[in-house]
């Protein structure tokens, strides 16, 4: 069954199913009625020769220029053509698919004045997997994502290039191959298609989805390192967590306790030490704070994916047209800035645990750089360098985009959100964080194996959940006896983190929150 959109009930999971799983989409019957009602109102206002922004006037600074009825269709086409100012590398097709779905869902609410046939054409393109090429740079996040959304609308009218069945071609050709016709835009439709926050939200929802997995990966990494470093489990005691009352911290601590349940490496007390360093002892507090931030972003995005964010807004029942600012990306800009800070912290603390694993001064008796034959072999020495490089890079990307603004359209649009930049840099932070946590998992697995080699029964003493994680890693990453081409193994581990299968294996043993 297709995913049915009505502008009100789309979920984050459904977006992922469409943009990554390529599921089909259909417009709800009640949404069709709302779209038709809104369009009928627009047609009525056109007949009355009403002066309405974007309908019978120019845009931005040209809002005071009245357009004749004969030129309204050309106005909409020119709007799309002139606004396709995106530049740079193309967004991945899953981001474009998410944006197309979100745009169609926005229009399905019935407050945009667009024709049903135009919304259906957008859905048909999505279902046919015709993905317009959308360069990633060029949006300031207000009036929403004008440039990237115009690139999508350009494909809808049969212009520009697209990705179709793994090949880049002229969009007109792809439409023809699928038996679809380009849309000839009518009054208001160009503005309805390119005003809104759907590109930044499309990028951000994909980052958010992977961040939900990464917070579980981070807890698994803490437990794996805890096994290798003979961590003191009492630091994660529920009584201590409840005294603070922070929900994310409580959840992370519970995950870590469950992951370590049954371990003979990690114990409630350790005879040779009183405390662990902060990177281990405060892991639940740090991971939990990121969890709470990610939860905030989840709630904000869940609202935005069903929001009407174009302009002007049509209210047929009230005989009203409102030129407002729902297209302003500030709610998403702040959310995605928060998201990238939360993700970067998961990597920051992970790199500190990596350092302790490879440093013989702090690794609880493990050989330096996790190699049995130090000197002739460097082991995991430079893997820690790589992690340090990426967490330092994240400090640049994590600078909030939303604290900046630059005026556009001759100062008519004098405050912008930079929300798309926030979403794009969040994706960069995510990629680095996934790689850093992958390095920690590799190091922890190597350390556990070395414990076994040293006669400490490291593998045999694992908790059932951490053993499941260890075994899954070992299906791809072998213990390192001598130096190897490390970049190949780092890439393999990065794939293991991103596909999420390590979570699936652990959750066959315990449930993670």
């Amino acid at each position: 069954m297709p995913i049915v959109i009505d502008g009100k009930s789309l979920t984050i999971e459904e977006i992922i199913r469409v943009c990554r799983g390529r599921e089909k989409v259909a417009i709800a019957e009640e949404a069709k009625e709302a779209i038709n009602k809104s369009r009928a109102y627009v047609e009525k206002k056109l007949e009355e020769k009403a002066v309405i922004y974007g309908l019978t006037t120019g845009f931005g600074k040209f809002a005071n220029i009245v357009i004749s009825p004969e030129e309204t269709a050309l106005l909409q086409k020119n709007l799309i053509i002139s606004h396709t100012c995106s530049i740079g590398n193309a967004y991945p097709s899953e981001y474009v698919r998410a944006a197309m779905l979100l745009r169609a869902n926005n229009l399905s609410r019935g407050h945009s004045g667009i024709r049903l046939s135009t919304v259906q054409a957008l859905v048909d393109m999505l279902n046919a997997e015709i993905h317009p090429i959308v360069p990633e740079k060029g949006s300031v996040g207000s009036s929403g994502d004008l440039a990237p959304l115009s690139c999508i609308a350009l494909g809808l009218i049969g212009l520009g290039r697209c990705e179709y069945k793994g090949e880049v071609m002229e969009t007109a050709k792809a439409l023809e191959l699928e038996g679809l016709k380009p849309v000839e835009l009518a009054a208001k439709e160009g503005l309805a298609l390119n005003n809104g926050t759907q590109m930044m939200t499309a990028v951000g929802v994909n980052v958010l989805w992977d961040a939900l997995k990464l917070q579980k990966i981070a807890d698994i990494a803490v437990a794996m390192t805890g096994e290798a470093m003979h961590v003191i489990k009492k630091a994660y005691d529920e009584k201590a967590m409840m005294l603070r009352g922070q929900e994310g911290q409580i959840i992370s601590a519970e995950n870590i306790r469950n992951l370590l349940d049954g371990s003979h490496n990690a114990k409630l007390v350790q005879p040779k030490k009183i405390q662990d360093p902060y990177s281990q002892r405060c892991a639940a507090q740090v991971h939990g704070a990121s969890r709470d931030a990610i939860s905030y972003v989840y709630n904000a995005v869940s609202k935005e994916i069903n929001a009407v964010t174009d302009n002007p807004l049509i209210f047929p029942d009230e005989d009203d047209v409102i030129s407002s600012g729902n297209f302003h990306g500030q709610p998403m800009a702040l959310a995605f800035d928060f998201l990238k800070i939360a993700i970067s912290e998961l990597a920051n603390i992970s790199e500190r645990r990596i350092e302790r694993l490879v440093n013989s001064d702090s690794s609880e008796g493990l050989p330096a750089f996790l190699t049995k034959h130090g000197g002739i072999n460097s082991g995991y020495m430079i893997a820690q360098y790589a992690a340090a490089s990426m967490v330092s890079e994240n400090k640049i990307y994590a600078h909030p985009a939303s604290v900046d603004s630059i005026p556009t359209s001759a100062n008519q649009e004098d405050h912008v959100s930079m929300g798309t930049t926030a979403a794009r840099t969040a994706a960069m932070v995510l990629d680095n964080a996934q790689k850093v946590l992958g390095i920690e998992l590799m190091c922890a697995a190597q350390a556990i194996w070395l414990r076994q080699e040293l006669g400490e029964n490291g593998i045999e003493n694992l908790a059932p959940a951490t053993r499941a994680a260890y075994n899954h890693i070992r299906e791809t990453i072998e213990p390192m006896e001598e130096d190897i081409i490390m970049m190949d193994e780092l890439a393999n581990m990065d794939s293991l983190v991103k596909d999420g299968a390590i979570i699936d294996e652990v959750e066959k043993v315990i449930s993670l929150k």
Side-chain angles (χ1 to χ4, degrees), residues 191-511:
L191 201 58
L193 288 165
N194 77 356
N195 258 232
T197 61
Q198 281 69 43
M199 195 72 243
M200 68 180 80
T201 308
V203 176
V205 76
N206 274 277
V207 176
L208 172 62
W209 186 256
D210 289 332
L212 293 170
K213 293 191 294 184
L214 195 67
Q215 62 189 9
K216 292 184 178 182
I217 292 283
D219 289 344
I220 293 170
V222 167
M224 289 283 288
T225 298
E227 293 273 18
M229 299 288 280
H230 296 169
V231 72
I232 299 171
K233 292 196 295 184
K234 200 168 184 64
Y236 312 118
D237 192 289
E238 184 179 13
K239 295 191 297 295
M241 302 304 111
M242 296 305 294
L243 278 180
R244 194 173 201 182
Q246 297 288 352
E247 184 177 355
Q249 175 182 328
I250 292 168
I251 292 171
S252 282
E254 182 181 353
N255 280 347
I256 297 168
R257 289 197 307 272
N258 290 339
L259 284 158
L260 292 174
D261 187 32
S263 171
H264 296 290
N265 297 315
K267 300 177 181 178
L268 289 175
V269 294
Q270 294 286 1
K272 296 182 180 180
K273 59 180 176 179
I274 302 298
Q275 292 179 332
D276 286 305
Y278 284 8
S279 59
Q280 195 78 50
R281 180 158 42 114
C282 303
Q285 286 80 359
V286 175
H287 289 193
S290 289
R291 278 181 172 273
D292 288 337
I294 292 167
S295 178
Y296 165 80
V297 177
Y298 188 95
N299 290 331
V301 170
S302 295
K303 294 182 178 72
E304 192 74 2
I305 62 179
N306 289 298
V308 181
T309 59
D310 58 300
N311 182 61
L313 300 174
I314 310 298
F315 296 87
D317 291 339
E318 293 85 0
D319 188 17
D320 202 3
V321 179
I322 300 176
S323 183
S324 186
N326 281 4
F327 49 66
H328 201 292
Q330 195 74 358
M332 291 299 93
L334 291 172
F336 297 143
D337 277 340
F338 202 10
L339 178 61
K340 65 188 182 183
I341 292 169
I343 296 170
S344 69
E345 278 302 285
L346 296 178
N348 280 348
I349 196 169
S350 174
E351 186 277 328
R352 290 292 80 201
R353 293 191 295 266
I354 294 168
E355 157 61 20
R356 299 194 70 84
L357 282 165
V358 302
N359 187 340
S360 59
D361 291 337
S362 60
S363 63
E364 309 281 350
L366 289 166
F369 304 112
L370 302 177
T371 179
K372 291 192 291 184
H373 309 292
I376 192 171
N377 291 292
S378 295
Y380 280 81
M381 179 191 296
I382 310 303
Q384 185 268 329
Y385 283 40
S389 168
M390 287 181 282
V391 297
S392 291
E393 187 174 272
N394 276 354
K395 293 168 188 174
I396 298 170
Y397 296 151
H399 179 84
S402 57
V403 299
D404 184 32
S405 177
I406 189 165
T408 58
S409 194
N411 273 326
Q412 175 71 5
E413 298 164 4
D414 55 356
H415 182 278
V416 298
S417 74
M418 304 308 296
T420 316
T421 302
R424 287 178 49 243
T425 48
M428 298 176 193
V429 167
L430 171 72
D431 182 62
N432 281 341
Q434 289 167 326
K435 289 174 169 57
V436 171
L437 280 158
I439 292 171
E440 182 183 358
L441 287 166
M442 281 181 66
C443 288
Q446 176 74 3
I448 290 166
W449 174 76
L450 282 170
R451 294 285 189 201
Q452 192 78 18
E453 294 290 293
L454 293 170
E456 299 180 25
N457 296 326
I459 299 172
E460 295 177 6
N461 287 341
L462 291 175
T466 51
R467 183 188 291 269
Y470 179 86
N471 289 341
H472 182 70
I473 293 168
R474 285 287 169 251
E475 290 176 8
T476 304
I477 311 293
E478 294 183 359
M480 189 172 67
E481 286 274 4
E482 297 178 347
D483 282 350
I484 58 173
I485 299 174
M486 187 63 79
M487 64 180 182
D488 293 340
E489 291 291 63
L490 294 181
N492 290 336
M493 192 66 227
D494 185 38
S495 296
L496 288 183
V497 169
K498 287 177 177 173
D499 70 16
I502 192 169
I503 300 172
D504 297 336
E505 291 302 311
V506 168
E507 290 192 325
K508 291 177 182 178
V509 180
I510 63 167
S511 176

Side-chain angles (χ1 to χ4, degrees), residues 22-149:
R22 306 293 174 101
E23 292 195 23
K24 304 297 184 185
V25 176
I27 304 170
E29 289 303 317
E30 62 268 29
K32 292 179 181 180
E33 294 175 7
I35 293 168
N36 284 332
K37 186 174 186 179
S38 178
R39 183 62 197 182
Y41 179 81
V42 166
E43 298 287 353
K44 177 174 176 288
K45 289 300 175 182
L46 286 170
E47 291 176 5
E48 295 172 354
K49 295 183 171 54
V51 177
I52 300 174
Y53 171 74
L55 191 64
T56 56
T57 75
F59 311 105
K61 187 67 175 177
F62 294 136
N64 60 339
I65 298 177
V66 178
I67 307 299
S68 68
E70 296 77 19
E71 295 176 311
T72 53
L74 179 60
L75 170 70
Q76 302 302 316
K77 181 179 180 180
N78 285 347
L79 171 70
I80 297 304
I81 291 173
S82 66
H83 283 45
T84 52
C85 290
S86 291
I87 192 168
N89 297 326
Y91 277 120
S93 60
E94 58 264 30
Y95 290 0
V96 177
R97 288 184 61 79
M100 293 170 74
L101 171 63
L102 288 168
R103 197 76 206 132
N105 191 57
N106 172 98
L107 298 170
S108 295
R109 193 76 169 266
H111 291 280
S112 302
I114 197 169
R115 292 173 298 171
L116 174 59
S117 60
T118 303
V119 184
Q120 186 62 57
L122 181 59
V123 170
D124 291 342
M125 276 185 67
L126 178 63
N127 288 339
E129 299 185 21
I130 299 173
H131 312 132
I133 299 298
V134 183
E136 63 185 2
K137 298 181 181 180
S139 175
V140 295
S142 184
S143 301
D145 289 310
L146 288 172
L149 291 179

